[in-house]
């Protein structure tokens, strides 16, 4: 199994920044990529970003391109999501997830990700 623990959520004003971090432990050798998803109240879970462990290739959801940056630290087994220019519509619970799939990790489909963290809340005030 893979254990994922998110941190770094909180309250921020619109236009501000936050950095989320996800610490992975356990059978991380089976993980090909890590992703961030978010879910706002009453809405479906949405793909935010993903990064491959090996080459550090990245993929982003359309709503966050140019504002969010995902990165990984292979030594620490952590994945960060730097969120800039935050908007009220970025308010959501943010989840870290892992996938063993080398072919579909960048497509942003939830069912390709098999381990999930508990989530961390991000609130952006207007």
């Amino acid at each position: 199994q893979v254990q994922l623990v998110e941190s770094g959520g909180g309250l921020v004003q619109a236009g501000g920044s936050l950095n989320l971090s996800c610490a992975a432990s356990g059978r991380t050798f089976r993980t090909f990529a890590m992703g961030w998803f978010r879910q706002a109240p009453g809405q479906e879970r949405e793909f935010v970003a993903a990064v491959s462990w090996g080459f550090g290739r990245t993929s982003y959801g359309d709503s966050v391109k140019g504002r969010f940056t995902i990165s990984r630290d292979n030594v620490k087994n952590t994945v960060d999501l730097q969120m800039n220019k935050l908007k009220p519509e970025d308010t959501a619970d943010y989840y870290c997830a892992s996938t063993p799939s080398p072919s579909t990790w960048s497509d942003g489909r939830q069912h390709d990700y098999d381990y999930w963290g508990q989530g961390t809340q991000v609130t952006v005030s207007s």
Side-chain angles (χ1 to χ4, degrees), residues 75-88:
V75 175
K76 296 180 179 179
N77 278 349
T78 58
V79 174
D80 284 0
L81 183 69
Q82 177 63 40
M83 306 185 295
N84 299 326
K85 300 179 182 178
L86 283 161
K87 305 174 182 179

Side-chain angles (χ1 to χ4, degrees), residues 11 22 38 43 59 64 69 80 93-94 102-103 117:
L11 173 65
C22 175
R38 67 186 183 186
Q43 298 187 22
S59 176
V64 305
T69 302
D80 284 0
D93 291 326
Y94 283 71
S103 58

Side-chain angles (χ1 to χ4, degrees), residues 43-105:
Q43 298 187 22
E44 294 186 354
R45 195 167 292 186
E46 174 191 17
F47 171 69
V48 176
V51 62
S52 64
W53 271 126
F55 293 103
R57 292 177 293 170
T58 58
S59 176
Y60 294 92
D62 289 340
S63 62
V64 305
K65 284 181 180 177
R67 300 188 298 124
F68 291 11
T69 302
I70 189 170
S71 61
R72 92 275 187 252
D73 185 320
N74 290 356
V75 175
K76 296 180 179 179
N77 278 349
T78 58
V79 174
D80 284 0
L81 183 69
Q82 177 63 40
M83 306 185 295
N84 299 326
K85 300 179 182 178
L86 283 161
K87 305 174 182 179
E89 50 264 43
D90 293 318
T91 295
D93 291 326
Y94 283 71
Y95 298 89
C96 175
S98 67
T99 176
S101 173
S103 58
T104 61
W105 66 273

Side-chain angles (χ1 to χ4, degrees), residues 7-23:
S7 62
L11 173 65
V12 65
Q13 288 188 332
S17 299
L18 273 179
N19 186 77
L20 304 183
S21 187
C22 175

